[in-house]
Amino acid sequence: MTDASALPGQPRGGVLSGPATARAVNVLAPNASAMTLDGTNTWIVSEPGSDLAVVIDPGPLDDAHLRRVVTTAGQAGKRVALTLLTHGHPDHAEGAARFAELTGTRVRALDPALRLGDEGLAAGDVITTGGLELRVVPTPGHTADSLSFHLPADRAVLTGDTILGRGTTVVAHPDGRLGDYLDSLRRLRSLTVDDGVHTVLPGHGPVLDDAQGVVEYYLAHRATRLAQVETAVEDGYRTPAQVVAHVYADVDRSLWPAAELSVRAQMDYLEEHGLI
């Protein structure tokens, strides 16, 4: 068995649902798959002693899961006062409208199409609910509308799909762009260096206790893959499918369609920079 402390980001073992920090509790959605890992992490975030909570990413349209989130908050003496979305992929956002019905909350997101209410989310916004402070951090790249939420009091960041608790994420071409994604990783690295963030609360997979380590790993992984794609194209592999079969030969074939999206994004990046 591999020691978790030796893995990128030092993932925590054990059950994923339950308290992760003093202010964050995870309710795991029952939508496990090759793409969603153990399922979507729905985060309930609140200030200790407050009776108000914020929910980040209600998850899929699964009524039992959505009600379980409400019940979990209620058992802790909390009322859900606000719903936030890291991005619009269905495994994170499809249940948001139904969750808003159950809780009577607004839904705030970067994409206006996902909002319920007048307020959206933008870089630099600070959300204060029941004494809780969450800072909005733009992290496009996985998708154009991807956001992270900095939780200063816990020295933590909720990353959606920008950083996962296990493995690496997809740059979902054409909406996702590699240049944006690399900038987002550097932005998250600055949180670890300048703001003392050490915990990653991801959208899928276990909590990571070495935020800087996992960001550095992601940046190194992207640099390696980009070099591999560049070499593959130079060697005559011209289509994204050909590149995936060559570069991602060691990856489960069920993940190749997602890998092809990332390869398309990498090829666009290389073309934009005159490298292929």
Side-chain angles (χ1 to χ4, degrees):
M1 181 180 293
T2 302
D3 181 1
S5 66
L7 297 173
Q10 296 181 13
R12 294 184 194 173
V15 178
L16 297 182
S17 283
T21 68
R23 292 165 179 79
V25 174
N26 181 29
V27 181
L28 183 65
N31 61 333
S33 73
M35 290 297 294
T36 61
L37 305 181
D38 308 274
T40 300
N41 295 333
T42 294
W43 291 103
I44 303 171
V45 190
S46 62
E47 194 66 16
S50 172
D51 62 353
L52 300 179
V54 175
V55 166
I56 299 173
D57 289 349
L61 185 54
D62 181 306
D63 214 62
H65 169 66
L66 301 176
R67 290 181 182 276
R68 188 161 55 250
V69 175
V70 177
T71 299
T72 301
Q75 288 173 340
K78 314 282 185 180
R79 176 178 64 83
V80 179
L82 179 64
T83 302
L84 305 176
L85 297 177
T86 61
H87 65 297
H89 279 168
D91 57 313
H92 293 257
E94 187 182 35
R98 173 59 178 151
F99 190 70
E101 289 179 2
L102 292 173
T103 58
T105 59
R106 296 166 294 145
V107 177
R108 296 182 63 181
L110 180 62
D111 185 348
L114 299 172
R115 300 172 190 167
L116 291 174
D118 296 330
E119 288 187 279
L121 293 171
D125 283 353
V126 179
I127 296 156
T128 54
T129 300
L132 180 76
E133 180 182 319
L134 284 170
R135 301 175 184 174
V136 178
V137 182
T139 48
H142 170 66
T143 61
D145 70 330
S146 287
L147 298 171
S148 295
F149 298 99
H150 178 199
L151 180 55
D154 284 348
R155 297 171 63 192
V157 61
L158 298 105
T159 55
D161 282 356
T162 299
I163 291 179
L164 304 178
R166 186 169 65 251
T168 57
T169 199
V170 173
V171 179
H173 176 88
D175 185 41
R177 294 177 58 83
L178 181 58
D180 290 342
Y181 186 65
L182 295 174
D183 288 343
S184 294
L185 291 177
R186 296 182 188 108
R187 191 171 296 117
L188 291 172
R189 180 171 59 186
S190 75
L191 286 181
T192 72
V193 173
D194 300 331
D195 295 278
V197 166
H198 62 67
T199 302
V200 174
L201 306 175
H204 303 278
V207 172
L208 302 173
D209 287 319
D210 177 15
Q212 185 172 356
V214 76
V215 172
E216 297 290 0
Y217 170 79
Y218 265 56
L219 285 166
H221 171 80
R222 283 296 164 198
T224 298
R225 283 298 194 208
L226 193 62
Q228 290 172 335
V229 170
E230 182 179 3
T231 299
V233 173
E234 291 172 350
D235 289 345
Y237 298 92
R238 299 300 183 189
T239 69
Q242 290 172 339
V243 171
V244 167
H246 178 66
V247 172
Y248 291 78
D250 60 336
V251 174
D252 186 331
R253 281 177 174 264
S254 70
L255 298 176
W256 280 16
E260 188 170 330
L261 296 179
S262 280
V263 165
R264 288 178 183 273
Q266 290 172 88
M267 292 175 75
D268 281 357
Y269 180 87
L270 291 167
E271 288 178 4
E272 290 165 4
H273 289 76
L275 297 174
I276 59 173

